[in-house]
Amino acid sequence: MRWELSFRRQALGDPVSEGRRVWEWIQQVRPLHPSLDLWRPTADSPQEAEQSPPITQDYLLQYIRDAQTTSNFPSFGLAPAFSGQINQGNKLELSFNMPNPGDASIGLMIGGSLGAALDASEDLADALMHTTASTFTPAVIGALTRKDHPLNPTPEPYNYIPGWKMFFASDSPHYQRATQLATRTAPVANGAIFTFGTPNTYPTILNQW
């Protein structure tokens, strides 16, 4: 199955300094699965991507600096890198000052190889969520979402994409309701990771919000 990991946090500095936290996160998740080990720049073609050398921290920070310089607005997004095999890899997406000034977000569009591993291992899903929440503290909200579930036509009460596993900060107005609905709760960093049933049943549970 196709999955997506997304986390929004409070930035602790400017976008370039936040890029150093992204680089730290890449180092932390690399051992979790073979498809997270090798990270390369996004490219215009599969052939170009395959021939690209691995990214470095300097490359990532310069990519963020260039995107910030060319943006007409304080808010901007970019997709600087991917990991794993061509056409089965995981695409890294970053955004800054969206939806609010001072926010920073990371997203990982998860490809076939890692997606199949998540289907088979809840321990891997927990490790991915825990590592992300721990690296990007103070996190605001996060989710690990299976992409085959249709989205609700109306916005969620917590104004975020629903997930099988979600992070809420302990000072979130939604923390208590998440505690009531979760089938499992794991405190981490400035909040907790909540598991809502299974990858098949979590939309039904979250619809009770």
Side-chain angles (χ1 to χ4, degrees):
M1 292 290 182
R2 293 279 178 175
W3 293 80
E4 178 182 357
L5 174 72
S6 53
F7 260 79
R8 188 166 80 234
R9 65 192 184 275
Q10 299 170 28
L12 299 181
D14 62 20
V16 173
S17 65
E18 284 297 304
R20 295 187 180 93
R21 300 176 77 192
V22 174
W23 182 254
E24 177 190 346
W25 175 83
I26 288 174
Q27 307 315 306
Q28 294 294 324
V29 300
R30 285 180 66 190
L32 298 182
H33 188 263
S35 74
L36 293 170
D37 184 47
L38 176 62
W39 291 79
R40 288 177 283 191
T42 51
D44 294 331
S45 70
Q47 294 79 12
E48 183 181 346
E50 198 158 18
Q51 295 169 5
S52 298
I55 67 166
T56 62
Q57 176 173 284
D58 287 345
Y59 171 88
L60 177 63
L61 300 185
Q62 188 60 50
Y63 199 110
I64 294 171
R65 190 177 291 109
D66 291 344
Q68 183 179 19
T69 300
T70 57
S71 174
N72 293 322
F73 305 97
S75 58
F76 64 99
L78 58 151
F82 75 97
S83 70
Q85 296 181 357
I86 307 297
N87 297 325
Q88 293 190 46
N90 314 299
K91 182 181 179 183
L92 177 66
E93 299 178 336
L94 307 175
S95 68
F96 298 95
N97 296 313
M98 293 193 284
N100 307 303
D103 284 349
S105 294
I106 185 168
L108 190 69
M109 303 299 293
I110 294 171
S113 177
L114 181 55
L118 289 170
D119 291 337
S121 173
E122 184 169 4
D123 287 345
L124 175 59
D126 287 335
L128 192 58
M129 287 289 291
H130 189 280
T131 301
T132 307
S134 299
T135 304
F136 292 114
T137 186
V140 176
I141 191 170
L144 181 64
T145 303
R146 206 173 76 183
K147 300 298 287 179
D148 60 322
H149 292 299
L151 294 177
N152 288 332
T154 55
E156 306 295 341
Y158 41 83
N159 198 28
Y160 206 68
I161 186 170
W164 171 35
K165 295 179 181 290
M166 297 191 69
F167 174 90
F168 288 94
S170 57
D171 59 356
S172 166
H174 308 291
Y175 187 92
Q176 182 176 0
R177 185 58 175 153
T179 302
Q180 294 168 348
L181 292 177
T183 52
R184 188 156 60 93
T185 302
V188 60
N190 64 306
I193 295 166
F194 299 92
T195 301
F196 301 102
T198 70
N200 291 324
T201 63
Y202 76 81
T204 302
I205 295 173
L206 290 175
N207 282 342
Q208 301 173 41
W209 202 283

